[in-house]
Amino acid sequence: MVPAGGDGNLEEAAENVPGTLPGAVAAAAGKLINIDNGGTLTDICVIDGDRVWSTKTVTTPHDLSKCLIDGLTKASRAIYGEDDLMALLLSTEYIRYSTTQGTNALVERKGPRLGLILGGTLEAAALQASAQQSGLLASLVGARIETLDPALEGEALEAAAVRMVNSLCSAGANRIVVAFGGSACSSSETNLKKILLRKFPPHLLGVIPILYSHEVVDDADDARRTWTALFNAFLHPAMERFLYNAEHKLRQYRTRNPLLIFRNDGHSARVARTIALKTYSSGPRGGAEGSKALAAHYGFRRLLSMDVGGTTTDIGLVEDGVVRAHRRGKMEGIETSFPLCDVVSAGVGGSSIIRAEGKGIKVGPESVGSAPGPACFGLGGKEATMTDAFLLTGLLDPASYFGGELKIDVERARAAITEKVAVPLGLTPEQAAQAMEKAWVSKIAASLKDYAPITRDTVLAAFGGAGPFVACKVAEALDIGRVIIPGLAAVFSAFGIGFSDIAHAFEAPLPSNDATGLQACREQLLLQARRAMFGEGVELEQCRIEESLRVIDAEGEHHIALGADQLAIPAQARVSLMLQAVKPISHAKLAGEFGKASQDAVSTAKRRTLAGDLPLYRVEDQPAGATAAGPAVLEDAFFTCRIEESWRFEINQAGDILLSRH
């Protein structure tokens, strides 16, 4: 096997992929399609003015483009009364897509085997400054690390480089990252790239892609830049294969514009203009954007969100109208060179594997996903999950689960819980299911508490397919008195993507720390922005330009906003210009208000649970202003919520639900 350059971003791969030329942006408005691809389910949200259609389909991990097309076809059926994917896509202006595949891959450590070549002043110890770094380096790279002697040059350097590549390949690496340390890191990496391209021409069979850290990002912190490159190399292959496959399939239906990828920074861009690393937690960032809109609409100063899917619980915070983020975003607790939303993905979800461990119960982080899925799905799964437990306790009804489209089997759930939890702990299956719920709630509550302090004005937002299940119990564990469940809770991250615009960000160091240097850098970045936005089918004049300076000096790193005032650029500092071009596009909308409860909610059935026969309230049957007290079960086509005693719910005209403890 031989190496080839690549993996800097998905654009490089596009050069050799047919059908990836930029598409023109349609002048006429049309529908907006938002897609959130999760480990277990894929959510589709179609927005047309004030109308919204939503649906779900089971994720097909063997071919993610299949569940994409299946979900869109299902959405067309909801809109037109019959399958008409062509009509849906031809009437759509933008398709925005997000995924938790990268998040899940890191959580479960499923991805390519990376090799690492270090050079210059950079040593492996610098990448293991914390226990988190040491553990993750062991998982992603292991012993596949080679270090170049900085004194080597000429033929000796070439021979060493060839030997190291061959050694890493023999050790099982199927992707290699090259990272040098020191002030000459960029030129040193460039020199090595020339050598390897000459020794191993990329047109040969069996190429192994090589990613050079300086091509991913300009960052003077060698360890941080290297970790950024490692993360990008790990995420790139799966994202590339799926996204281009999906885009090609969509083009067969003559979509008006190329597929847009929703990124962790809250904006969207074409597949060919997207760095793989920025797709990390892009699904949860959709939930964060939705939470931001929700907090602004209802006046929540502090909104703590839990987006509970099949594999993870994604946690975020909106405080004073701002989504919590880091200039140096973290992945798995490790700092990267890019700004990322501060979303923590805890390894607990509706499909998390739950088993007895000693005298206790272990929840996750492993997940059965959608294939084979929870035992109750009847698709071959043998592990016990929280979905199985909720079915056994009676919270879920086989007749109404997943809108009645996915049949679940209580006896399969009972068998899995009996074998994996009940028998080892000496419990009945029902007792085991209740113990599983307690452990599940405890892990989610602990993850929320670790993420942010709980204050008196904290409101909990519960969404995702599994978020509303026992939201009252989670809130009680945190001493939170209010919970909001969006009307589109089951697809809320997909809905939240609808608040994003098309944008690209750029950064470069100033050639000189004065007005001349600033102007030269601005002209350079504006040219890059113009080219990038042209690739989106947009002229730069249609965009909003946002600029700031990043300054690194003896006091640390800080930012200076660029405005009309006279700017004093620090003379003795590393100064970079950050420029972002934003093209606003159509957004989703929110409506509704609380505090207007005017009538009792309507219950026409009972749900038999281990806690007794509880009143069942179907969300779609409730008038605006409907309210009722627990204990009860509240059910939508795609989510179920148990309202505990001492809690009350109110459903407003937008279908949003406020749970209040009294």
Side-chain angles (χ1 to χ4, degrees):
M1 291 183 289
V2 296
D7 267 21
N9 59 37
L10 300 183
E11 180 178 6
E12 293 180 2
E15 294 176 359
N16 296 315
V17 178
T20 57
L21 293 176
V25 172
K31 295 182 179 68
L32 305 174
I33 297 178
N34 302 329
I35 303 161
D36 179 27
N37 168 243
T40 303
L41 298 172
T42 293
D43 302 341
I44 313 285
C45 189
V46 182
I47 303 169
D48 190 1
D50 294 330
R51 299 195 65 185
V52 179
W53 295 268
S54 63
T55 191
K56 286 175 172 283
T57 189
V58 175
T59 296
T60 49
H62 62 283
D63 181 3
L64 293 176
S65 61
K66 182 179 186 305
C67 57
L68 170 67
I69 298 300
D70 288 349
L72 291 173
T73 302
K74 189 175 177 183
S76 74
R77 192 183 315 143
I79 296 170
Y80 304 115
E82 61 181 0
D83 292 355
D84 197 339
L85 181 56
M86 182 73 78
L88 173 59
L89 294 178
L90 288 177
S91 64
T92 295
E93 184 176 11
Y94 292 109
I95 301 175
R96 286 174 279 199
Y97 179 92
S98 73
T99 180
T100 60
Q101 295 303 319
T103 307
N104 296 345
L106 275 176
V107 167
E108 300 184 81
R109 305 293 190 260
K110 293 179 179 178
R113 296 180 299 277
L114 302 181
L116 179 60
I117 296 177
L118 300 176
T121 61
L122 185 59
E123 298 180 352
L127 305 177
Q128 303 174 75
S130 68
Q132 291 161 306
Q133 289 180 326
S134 296
L136 195 56
L137 191 68
S139 296
L140 303 188
V141 182
R144 296 182 295 274
I145 301 177
E146 298 281 352
T147 302
L148 275 170
D149 184 344
L152 293 177
E153 57 184 25
E155 292 183 0
L157 175 61
E158 291 187 5
V162 171
R163 178 188 61 77
M164 289 180 180
V165 168
N166 288 333
S167 175
L168 292 174
C169 292
S170 297
N174 47 30
R175 244 159 178 83
I176 295 175
V177 172
V178 172
F180 278 64
S183 58
C185 64
S186 296
S187 58
S188 298
E189 289 181 14
T190 299
N191 182 49
L192 187 62
K193 181 176 182 179
K194 292 177 180 177
I195 292 172
L196 294 179
L197 286 175
R198 187 170 65 251
K199 292 293 183 179
F200 302 107
H203 63 272
L204 296 177
L205 294 174
V207 295
I208 286 188
I210 297 183
L211 175 62
Y212 299 84
S213 71
H214 78 281
E215 294 182 340
V216 178
V217 65
D218 174 29
D219 187 348
D221 188 310
D222 298 325
R224 185 168 59 208
R225 185 183 68 255
T226 302
W227 270 112
T228 301
L230 286 169
F231 283 131
N232 198 70
F234 186 81
L235 297 176
H236 188 101
M239 297 303 302
E240 177 186 30
R241 284 193 301 271
F242 160 61
L243 291 174
Y244 282 119
N245 191 26
E247 187 168 54
H248 290 169
K249 286 193 175 183
L250 289 172
R251 285 180 179 276
Q252 294 174 10
Y253 293 92
R254 302 174 186 173
T255 50
R256 290 164 57 176
N257 287 303
L259 180 67
L260 295 178
I261 303 307
F262 178 72
R263 305 186 307 248
N264 187 291
D265 60 11
H267 293 296
S268 299
R270 286 185 59 224
V271 176
R273 298 276 173 187
T274 301
I275 291 176
L277 182 143
K278 290 189 177 182
T279 67
Y280 176 79
S281 281
S282 63
R285 180 61 195 253
E289 288 299 305
S291 295
K292 178 182 175 181
L294 207 62
H297 182 75
Y298 290 115
F300 299 140
R301 192 193 76 80
R302 201 165 189 273
L303 188 63
L304 179 64
S305 62
M306 61 172 191
D307 175 4
V308 189
T311 303
T312 61
T313 292
D314 302 312
I315 304 168
L317 179 69
V318 177
E319 192 164 19
D320 295 323
V322 177
V323 174
R324 191 162 100 174
H326 293 302
R327 170 64 188 90
R328 300 297 187 181
K330 293 184 178 181
M331 296 174 62
E332 292 289 293
I334 298 174
E335 195 171 67
T336 71
S337 303
F338 290 109
L340 295 174
C341 175
D342 184 18
V343 172
V344 170
S345 297
V348 51
S351 296
S352 294
I353 295 173
I354 304 179
R355 61 174 67 91
E357 189 171 87
K359 295 183 179 181
I361 292 177
K362 184 175 184 291
V363 180
E366 301 85 6
S367 170
V368 296
S370 61
C376 63
F377 280 16
L379 299 175
K382 302 295 184 182
E383 301 292 343
T385 71
M386 202 60 239
T387 302
D388 297 305
F390 285 141
L391 177 59
L392 193 57
T393 62
L395 179 58
L396 295 179
D397 181 359
S400 60
Y401 182 73
F402 204 61
E405 297 181 12
L406 184 60
K407 301 305 179 185
I408 52 178
D409 186 340
V410 68
E411 292 308 317
R412 292 179 186 272
R414 184 188 303 276
I417 291 173
T418 298
E419 178 186 351
K420 304 296 183 178
V421 183
V423 170
L425 296 181
L427 302 173
T428 67
E430 289 74 17
Q431 290 171 333
Q434 291 174 313
M436 289 167 65
E437 178 187 309
K438 186 176 180 181
W440 194 77
V441 167
S442 178
K443 184 168 182 177
I444 291 177
S447 299
L448 288 163
K449 197 170 185 178
D450 288 344
Y451 176 83
I454 307 301
T455 60
R456 294 186 64 183
D457 59 351
T458 300
V459 178
L460 181 64
F463 50 88
F469 272 137
V470 284
C472 294
K473 283 293 186 184
V474 174
E476 287 176 2
L478 298 169
D479 198 24
I480 290 176
R482 288 190 297 169
V483 178
I484 184 167
I485 301 174
L488 292 167
V491 296
F492 192 65
S493 288
F495 179 70
I497 298 169
F499 295 96
S500 70
D501 294 314
I502 297 174
H504 286 285
F506 309 90
E507 181 177 356
L510 269 60
S512 59
N513 291 6
D514 53 24
T516 301
L518 175 61
Q519 183 59 29
C521 190
R522 176 184 285 124
E523 290 175 359
Q524 172 194 343
L525 295 188
L526 283 173
L527 180 60
Q528 292 181 31
R530 181 175 294 279
R531 289 172 175 167
M533 298 312 290
F534 180 76
E536 303 287 356
V538 174
E539 296 296 334
L540 191 62
E541 288 72 22
Q542 298 175 271
C543 301
R544 180 177 73 250
I545 304 298
E546 301 169 351
E547 297 177 283
S548 65
L549 293 180
R550 181 165 64 89
V551 179
I552 302 176
D553 55 22
E555 298 179 359
E557 180 177 323
H558 51 100
H559 295 259
I560 301 174
L562 295 183
D565 298 336
Q566 185 67 27
L567 178 66
I569 303 175
Q572 302 299 320
R574 177 183 170 89
V575 183
S576 296
L577 175 62
M578 301 168 64
L579 183 147
Q580 181 167 257
V582 181
K583 170 59 171 69
I585 59 178
S586 302
H587 282 189
K589 299 176 183 178
L590 290 176
E593 57 183 332
F594 291 116
K596 303 291 184 181
S598 57
Q599 53 190 308
D600 292 336
V602 178
S603 173
T604 58
K606 296 279 189 180
R607 176 66 52 83
R608 178 162 293 180
T609 73
L610 295 183
D613 290 349
L614 303 182
L616 176 66
Y617 297 93
R618 300 194 183 280
V619 175
E620 60 269 25
D621 294 339
Q622 306 307 317
T627 182
V633 173
L634 189 64
E635 190 168 74
D636 172 83
F638 293 114
F639 74 79
T640 303
C641 175
R642 190 175 70 223
I643 310 298
E644 305 296 337
E645 189 174 356
S646 79
W647 286 80
R648 174 173 289 274
F649 70 82
E650 177 188 347
I651 304 178
N652 68 16
Q653 61 270 42
D656 295 334
I657 304 163
L658 183 67
L659 311 181
S660 303
R661 195 175 184 183
H662 56 85

